[in-house]
Amino acid sequence: MPLVVQKFGGTSVADSQKILAAARKAVRAQQEGNQVVMVVSAMGKNTDVLVDLAHQISDHPPAREMDMLLSTGEQVSVALMAMAIDSLGCRAISFTGAQIGIKTDSTHTKARIHSISAARMRQALDEGKIVIAAGFQGIDEDSNITTLGRGGSDTTAVALAAALEADACEIYTDVDGVYTTDPRALPEARMVRQVSYDEMLELASLGAGVMHSRSIEFAKKFSVPIHVRSSFSDRPGTMITALPESPGQPVSGATLVKNEARVAILGVPDRPGSSLAIFSKIAARNISVDMIVQNVGDHAKADISFTVLRDDLVSTLEAVQEAAAELGAEGVSHDDKVSKISVVGLGMATQTGVAQTMFRALAEAGVNIQMITTSEIKISVLVDRDQAQNALRVVHRAFELEKEPRAAAAQSADATRLPGPKVARDEAAIVARLSGMEDLTIDDMMLDDTQARVTIGGVPDAPGMAASVFEGIAAAGIFVDMIVQSLGRAGHANLSFTVPQAALQRAVATATELAGQFGCGPVTNSPRVAKLSVSGIGMRSHTGVAIRMFRALSEAGINVAMINTSEVRVNVVVDGAAGQKGLACLQAAFADAQR
Ligand code: ADP
Ligand code: ASP
Ligand code: MG
């Protein structure tokens, strides 16, 4: 019998009427011939209320007790949901995370799932019951209650769908599906019919709060198709699968993270181990670093910039001051009034001109870009917070995201189901794949030593610079891969990018001409650089990935010139001659995590 997992978020179970409406959806799915597992969140804003209560009692509530407290929200919902189903004349049973055997590590308030034992759920399903699982919670080895991080019920749902090999995983929420950007931030946002795992992973981690990013990691790892849809209607929503909505489209979504802070460590001695020293001190304080931008500096000194959430700024600065003193850096600067705007799209990996379209739109709106970081499928820029809303609007418009894409991918009539007949269940294989569910998985380690680097120093920190540079480079017919911009000393930015080696001379000539026009410089280059990439699943939530990479390279005496991170990949640029050696040491460093 087909099995469906249905997850209902906080607003979808905010009061008794909504709980009954959700219960009716589950009953209907059962009457249509499915086994049904529901995953429910705490009612309405209940989790926020609990967090607030804890902070009224203590500035630093113990994490274990926080989990004890927060898990009660979901426990209320599952019990009420079971009563609702019973009142509709059907059989149901509610379970806490512990009762369904969601085993996690002991990182309270952001625990990772180790395994799920499906046996008890299966038994209840086989008895004809609707299973109602509490979202967002589990237990560790010592039976302590843990939670998975805010928004984590999505992850419970997708993990259960993977564990039970569900035929469908439906995420019911308060919007109709996944939009090109948050429809509450931008009314002209358009609902997309389909979005790929990789795009959704980036979008979720870059600010699209509609899905918990770790749930998408699961979905990708275990090939679970997700259907995000409205609790309040029967309209089909958005499918998150392996395929994008329209393969040719360069950009499929845009995001905004409002409250970021930028930190720059200036004049860091350009030698192996510097990044490691900085980021391991930050990681030791359990702070996750977001955009990391290391740029080629002047006189054998590098500037390393990164962003953190504004709330983490104070402890970040403590860590950074310490590291800066140890390294003999020239100084530290920060800005806590910045926001991050990103665009994401699988199509940009193969198309030129995406970056300059974004930069030009921002320039025309008078928005200054402080930092830039790109990956194969995303471009992020840091802007002044006062300009962020307008920046999101102009970027969304520049890519015509409000319009239906021309060549939308054909969707099968029943795309919400896994295709094809299922093979007989092999319990041993299922159990095997459940152990270490959230372990880091490295798909690929790559060396690209076909590129060269160009850096323009002393770029005035004013709107329009990046747009002009990349329009000039594109007009010369040159494909740009990585772009990194950081704000350096005296309000000047360094703008670096990589191009194919054969195009270096033309790129340098164009850059020099533009630098002359804008009165900036110098333009420097490396004719042969090596880009080393580690890609996989769990790259960002396993915060140690970048650090492990820096450590491996540092131990091999390899200096990092540029860094670029994304949700699915960390890229570093090193000297061309060190490429092979760098690849070998990364392979050794990540041997345990390779698929
Ligand atoms: P739930 O309680 O159902 O988990 P959330 O509040 O976590 O709901 O997520 C739904 C919200 O996500 C929407 O109300 C919307 O404002 C926000 N959101 C942010 N980005 C997007 C996006 N790209 N598409 C749809 N919704 C988005
Ligand atoms: N109730 C939890 C939260 O508000 C989990 C969730 O809703 O996904 O973060
Ligand atoms: Mg949510």
PDB file of all heavy atoms in Angstrom, residues 315-340:
ATOM      1  N   SER A 315      30.435  38.011  19.947  1.00  0.00           N
ATOM      2  CA  SER A 315      31.382  36.924  20.230  1.00  0.00           C
ATOM      3  C   SER A 315      32.303  36.655  19.053  1.00  0.00           C
ATOM      4  O   SER A 315      33.444  36.220  19.231  1.00  0.00           O
ATOM      5  CB  SER A 315      30.698  35.635  20.684  1.00  0.00           C
ATOM      6  OG  SER A 315      29.396  35.591  20.300  1.00  0.00           O
ATOM      7  N   THR A 316      31.831  36.952  17.841  1.00  0.00           N
ATOM      8  CA  THR A 316      32.719  36.785  16.688  1.00  0.00           C
ATOM      9  C   THR A 316      33.912  37.741  16.801  1.00  0.00           C
ATOM     10  O   THR A 316      35.058  37.358  16.559  1.00  0.00           O
ATOM     11  CB  THR A 316      31.970  37.084  15.374  1.00  0.00           C
ATOM     12  OG1 THR A 316      30.832  36.251  15.325  1.00  0.00           O
ATOM     13  CG2 THR A 316      32.827  36.826  14.166  1.00  0.00           C
ATOM     14  N   LEU A 317      33.621  38.982  17.168  1.00  0.00           N
ATOM     15  CA  LEU A 317      34.697  39.966  17.249  1.00  0.00           C
ATOM     16  C   LEU A 317      35.730  39.567  18.300  1.00  0.00           C
ATOM     17  O   LEU A 317      36.932  39.746  18.103  1.00  0.00           O
ATOM     18  CB  LEU A 317      34.134  41.360  17.542  1.00  0.00           C
ATOM     19  CG  LEU A 317      33.441  42.032  16.340  1.00  0.00           C
ATOM     20  CD1 LEU A 317      32.819  43.358  16.736  1.00  0.00           C
ATOM     21  CD2 LEU A 317      34.420  42.231  15.174  1.00  0.00           C
ATOM     22  N   GLU A 318      35.259  38.976  19.405  1.00  0.00           N
ATOM     23  CA  GLU A 318      36.212  38.509  20.424  1.00  0.00           C
ATOM     24  C   GLU A 318      37.183  37.498  19.808  1.00  0.00           C
ATOM     25  O   GLU A 318      38.401  37.601  19.958  1.00  0.00           O
ATOM     26  CB  GLU A 318      35.471  37.822  21.576  1.00  0.00           C
ATOM     27  CG  GLU A 318      34.777  38.784  22.527  1.00  0.00           C
ATOM     28  CD  GLU A 318      33.782  38.060  23.440  1.00  0.00           C
ATOM     29  OE1 GLU A 318      33.857  36.800  23.561  1.00  0.00           O
ATOM     30  OE2 GLU A 318      32.934  38.755  23.998  1.00  0.00           O
ATOM     31  N   ALA A 319      36.588  36.542  19.085  1.00  0.00           N
ATOM     32  CA  ALA A 319      37.423  35.485  18.477  1.00  0.00           C
ATOM     33  C   ALA A 319      38.390  36.087  17.465  1.00  0.00           C
ATOM     34  O   ALA A 319      39.572  35.717  17.398  1.00  0.00           O
ATOM     35  CB  ALA A 319      36.533  34.448  17.801  1.00  0.00           C
ATOM     36  N   VAL A 320      37.884  37.020  16.683  1.00  0.00           N
ATOM     37  CA  VAL A 320      38.666  37.580  15.590  1.00  0.00           C
ATOM     38  C   VAL A 320      39.812  38.467  16.113  1.00  0.00           C
ATOM     39  O   VAL A 320      40.920  38.436  15.577  1.00  0.00           O
ATOM     40  CB  VAL A 320      37.728  38.354  14.647  1.00  0.00           C
ATOM     41  CG1 VAL A 320      38.496  39.260  13.736  1.00  0.00           C
ATOM     42  CG2 VAL A 320      36.911  37.365  13.831  1.00  0.00           C
ATOM     43  N   GLN A 321      39.524  39.217  17.159  1.00  0.00           N
ATOM     44  CA  GLN A 321      40.586  40.072  17.727  1.00  0.00           C
ATOM     45  C   GLN A 321      41.743  39.196  18.190  1.00  0.00           C
ATOM     46  O   GLN A 321      42.911  39.512  17.958  1.00  0.00           O
ATOM     47  CB  GLN A 321      40.071  40.878  18.938  1.00  0.00           C
ATOM     48  CG  GLN A 321      38.920  41.842  18.637  1.00  0.00           C
ATOM     49  CD  GLN A 321      39.368  43.083  17.868  1.00  0.00           C
ATOM     50  OE1 GLN A 321      40.519  43.167  17.448  1.00  0.00           O
ATOM     51  NE2 GLN A 321      38.452  44.023  17.651  1.00  0.00           N
ATOM     52  N   GLU A 322      41.375  38.096  18.818  1.00  0.00           N
ATOM     53  CA  GLU A 322      42.385  37.163  19.298  1.00  0.00           C
ATOM     54  C   GLU A 322      43.236  36.636  18.143  1.00  0.00           C
ATOM     55  O   GLU A 322      44.466  36.679  18.182  1.00  0.00           O
ATOM     56  CB  GLU A 322      41.646  35.972  19.911  1.00  0.00           C
ATOM     57  CG  GLU A 322      42.076  35.568  21.298  1.00  0.00           C
ATOM     58  CD  GLU A 322      41.175  34.436  21.757  1.00  0.00           C
ATOM     59  OE1 GLU A 322      41.418  33.261  21.385  1.00  0.00           O
ATOM     60  OE2 GLU A 322      40.194  34.745  22.460  1.00  0.00           O
ATOM     61  N   ALA A 323      42.543  36.194  17.083  1.00  0.00           N
ATOM     62  CA  ALA A 323      43.257  35.631  15.936  1.00  0.00           C
ATOM     63  C   ALA A 323      44.109  36.698  15.250  1.00  0.00           C
ATOM     64  O   ALA A 323      45.250  36.442  14.864  1.00  0.00           O
ATOM     65  CB  ALA A 323      42.258  35.034  14.940  1.00  0.00           C
ATOM     66  N   ALA A 324      43.565  37.910  15.132  1.00  0.00           N
ATOM     67  CA  ALA A 324      44.284  38.978  14.442  1.00  0.00           C
ATOM     68  C   ALA A 324      45.582  39.301  15.183  1.00  0.00           C
ATOM     69  O   ALA A 324      46.629  39.508  14.566  1.00  0.00           O
ATOM     70  CB  ALA A 324      43.402  40.221  14.329  1.00  0.00           C
ATOM     71  N   ALA A 325      45.505  39.319  16.509  1.00  0.00           N
ATOM     72  CA  ALA A 325      46.703  39.616  17.295  1.00  0.00           C
ATOM     73  C   ALA A 325      47.744  38.516  17.086  1.00  0.00           C
ATOM     74  O   ALA A 325      48.925  38.796  16.857  1.00  0.00           O
ATOM     75  CB  ALA A 325      46.329  39.742  18.767  1.00  0.00           C
ATOM     76  N   GLU A 326      47.290  37.259  17.123  1.00  0.00           N
ATOM     77  CA  GLU A 326      48.239  36.153  16.945  1.00  0.00           C
ATOM     78  C   GLU A 326      48.900  36.169  15.576  1.00  0.00           C
ATOM     79  O   GLU A 326      50.071  35.847  15.421  1.00  0.00           O
ATOM     80  CB  GLU A 326      47.513  34.812  17.108  1.00  0.00           C
ATOM     81  CG  GLU A 326      47.422  34.397  18.562  1.00  0.00           C
ATOM     82  CD  GLU A 326      46.527  33.182  18.738  1.00  0.00           C
ATOM     83  OE1 GLU A 326      46.428  32.348  17.807  1.00  0.00           O
ATOM     84  OE2 GLU A 326      45.921  33.063  19.820  1.00  0.00           O
ATOM     85  N   LEU A 327      48.111  36.553  14.553  1.00  0.00           N
ATOM     86  CA  LEU A 327      48.639  36.496  13.190  1.00  0.00           C
ATOM     87  C   LEU A 327      49.432  37.744  12.815  1.00  0.00           C
ATOM     88  O   LEU A 327      50.070  37.785  11.776  1.00  0.00           O
ATOM     89  CB  LEU A 327      47.483  36.352  12.190  1.00  0.00           C
ATOM     90  CG  LEU A 327      46.728  35.033  12.200  1.00  0.00           C
ATOM     91  CD1 LEU A 327      45.458  35.156  11.370  1.00  0.00           C
ATOM     92  CD2 LEU A 327      47.609  33.932  11.621  1.00  0.00           C
ATOM     93  N   GLY A 328      49.312  38.772  13.652  1.00  0.00           N
ATOM     94  CA  GLY A 328      49.954  40.030  13.297  1.00  0.00           C
ATOM     95  C   GLY A 328      49.233  40.732  12.159  1.00  0.00           C
ATOM     96  O   GLY A 328      49.859  41.374  11.302  1.00  0.00           O
ATOM     97  N   ALA A 329      47.918  40.634  12.130  1.00  0.00           N
ATOM     98  CA  ALA A 329      47.145  41.311  11.084  1.00  0.00           C
ATOM     99  C   ALA A 329      47.127  42.813  11.357  1.00  0.00           C
ATOM    100  O   ALA A 329      47.407  43.252  12.470  1.00  0.00           O
ATOM    101  CB  ALA A 329      45.721  40.760  11.066  1.00  0.00           C
ATOM    102  N   GLU A 330      46.768  43.585  10.310  1.00  0.00           N
ATOM    103  CA  GLU A 330      46.818  45.040  10.485  1.00  0.00           C
ATOM    104  C   GLU A 330      45.620  45.609  11.234  1.00  0.00           C
ATOM    105  O   GLU A 330      45.708  46.664  11.842  1.00  0.00           O
ATOM    106  CB  GLU A 330      46.936  45.717   9.121  1.00  0.00           C
ATOM    107  CG  GLU A 330      48.337  45.567   8.563  1.00  0.00           C
ATOM    108  CD  GLU A 330      48.419  45.947   7.093  1.00  0.00           C
ATOM    109  OE1 GLU A 330      47.504  46.603   6.565  1.00  0.00           O
ATOM    110  OE2 GLU A 330      49.419  45.555   6.470  1.00  0.00           O
ATOM    111  N   GLY A 331      44.520  44.920  11.152  1.00  0.00           N
ATOM    112  CA  GLY A 331      43.365  45.463  11.864  1.00  0.00           C
ATOM    113  C   GLY A 331      42.103  44.681  11.568  1.00  0.00           C
ATOM    114  O   GLY A 331      42.086  43.787  10.717  1.00  0.00           O
ATOM    115  N   VAL A 332      41.043  45.042  12.277  1.00  0.00           N
ATOM    116  CA  VAL A 332      39.757  44.369  12.095  1.00  0.00           C
ATOM    117  C   VAL A 332      38.716  45.458  11.902  1.00  0.00           C
ATOM    118  O   VAL A 332      38.733  46.458  12.614  1.00  0.00           O
ATOM    119  CB  VAL A 332      39.403  43.553  13.364  1.00  0.00           C
ATOM    120  CG1 VAL A 332      38.003  42.965  13.256  1.00  0.00           C
ATOM    121  CG2 VAL A 332      40.425  42.450  13.596  1.00  0.00           C
ATOM    122  N   SER A 333      37.837  45.292  10.925  1.00  0.00           N
ATOM    123  CA  SER A 333      36.742  46.251  10.823  1.00  0.00           C
ATOM    124  C   SER A 333      35.432  45.482  10.775  1.00  0.00           C
ATOM    125  O   SER A 333      35.417  44.283  10.482  1.00  0.00           O
ATOM    126  CB  SER A 333      36.901  47.124   9.571  1.00  0.00           C
ATOM    127  OG  SER A 333      36.636  46.359   8.426  1.00  0.00           O
ATOM    128  N   HIS A 334      34.358  46.140  11.098  1.00  0.00           N
ATOM    129  CA  HIS A 334      33.070  45.451  11.014  1.00  0.00           C
ATOM    130  C   HIS A 334      31.953  46.431  10.715  1.00  0.00           C
ATOM    131  O   HIS A 334      32.130  47.648  10.866  1.00  0.00           O
ATOM    132  CB  HIS A 334      32.780  44.678  12.301  1.00  0.00           C
ATOM    133  CG  HIS A 334      32.515  45.573  13.474  1.00  0.00           C
ATOM    134  ND1 HIS A 334      33.508  46.030  14.297  1.00  0.00           N
ATOM    135  CD2 HIS A 334      31.360  46.104  13.942  1.00  0.00           C
ATOM    136  CE1 HIS A 334      32.981  46.806  15.236  1.00  0.00           C
ATOM    137  NE2 HIS A 334      31.689  46.865  15.041  1.00  0.00           N
ATOM    138  N   ASP A 335      30.820  45.878  10.295  1.00  0.00           N
ATOM    139  CA  ASP A 335      29.647  46.690   9.988  1.00  0.00           C
ATOM    140  C   ASP A 335      28.448  45.832  10.351  1.00  0.00           C
ATOM    141  O   ASP A 335      28.307  44.711   9.843  1.00  0.00           O
ATOM    142  CB  ASP A 335      29.661  47.011   8.479  1.00  0.00           C
ATOM    143  CG  ASP A 335      28.493  47.899   8.065  1.00  0.00           C
ATOM    144  OD1 ASP A 335      27.561  48.069   8.877  1.00  0.00           O
ATOM    145  OD2 ASP A 335      28.527  48.407   6.929  1.00  0.00           O
ATOM    146  N   ASP A 336      27.599  46.322  11.242  1.00  0.00           N
ATOM    147  CA  ASP A 336      26.462  45.469  11.626  1.00  0.00           C
ATOM    148  C   ASP A 336      25.158  45.910  10.967  1.00  0.00           C
ATOM    149  O   ASP A 336      24.086  45.490  11.372  1.00  0.00           O
ATOM    150  CB  ASP A 336      26.321  45.427  13.158  1.00  0.00           C
ATOM    151  CG  ASP A 336      25.983  46.791  13.727  1.00  0.00           C
ATOM    152  OD1 ASP A 336      25.961  47.772  12.955  1.00  0.00           O
ATOM    153  OD2 ASP A 336      25.756  46.868  14.948  1.00  0.00           O
ATOM    154  N   LYS A 337      25.262  46.731   9.921  1.00  0.00           N
ATOM    155  CA  LYS A 337      24.030  47.173   9.244  1.00  0.00           C
ATOM    156  C   LYS A 337      24.024  46.713   7.798  1.00  0.00           C
ATOM    157  O   LYS A 337      23.863  47.507   6.880  1.00  0.00           O
ATOM    158  CB  LYS A 337      23.924  48.701   9.306  1.00  0.00           C
ATOM    159  CG  LYS A 337      23.741  49.211  10.717  1.00  0.00           C
ATOM    160  CD  LYS A 337      23.420  50.690  10.712  1.00  0.00           C
ATOM    161  CE  LYS A 337      23.575  51.291  12.093  1.00  0.00           C
ATOM    162  NZ  LYS A 337      24.955  51.125  12.634  1.00  0.00           N
ATOM    163  N   VAL A 338      24.262  45.427   7.616  1.00  0.00           N
ATOM    164  CA  VAL A 338      24.296  44.922   6.243  1.00  0.00           C
ATOM    165  C   VAL A 338      23.298  43.781   6.062  1.00  0.00           C
ATOM    166  O   VAL A 338      22.898  43.134   7.020  1.00  0.00           O
ATOM    167  CB  VAL A 338      25.715  44.431   5.868  1.00  0.00           C
ATOM    168  CG1 VAL A 338      26.668  45.591   5.688  1.00  0.00           C
ATOM    169  CG2 VAL A 338      26.252  43.443   6.885  1.00  0.00           C
ATOM    170  N   SER A 339      22.908  43.589   4.817  1.00  0.00           N
ATOM    171  CA  SER A 339      21.999  42.499   4.457  1.00  0.00           C
ATOM    172  C   SER A 339      22.551  41.804   3.235  1.00  0.00           C
ATOM    173  O   SER A 339      23.289  42.397   2.459  1.00  0.00           O
ATOM    174  CB  SER A 339      20.617  43.043   4.097  1.00  0.00           C
ATOM    175  OG  SER A 339      20.080  43.775   5.162  1.00  0.00           O
ATOM    176  N   LYS A 340      22.142  40.562   3.088  1.00  0.00           N
ATOM    177  CA  LYS A 340      22.672  39.776   1.972  1.00  0.00           C
ATOM    178  C   LYS A 340      21.559  39.471   0.971  1.00  0.00           C
ATOM    179  O   LYS A 340      20.496  38.992   1.353  1.00  0.00           O
ATOM    180  CB  LYS A 340      23.249  38.470   2.518  1.00  0.00           C
ATOM    181  CG  LYS A 340      23.830  37.586   1.440  1.00  0.00           C
ATOM    182  CD  LYS A 340      24.466  36.356   2.030  1.00  0.00           C
ATOM    183  CE  LYS A 340      23.447  35.478   2.706  1.00  0.00           C
ATOM    184  NZ  LYS A 340      23.991  34.207   3.127  1.00  0.00           N
TER     185      LYS A 340
END
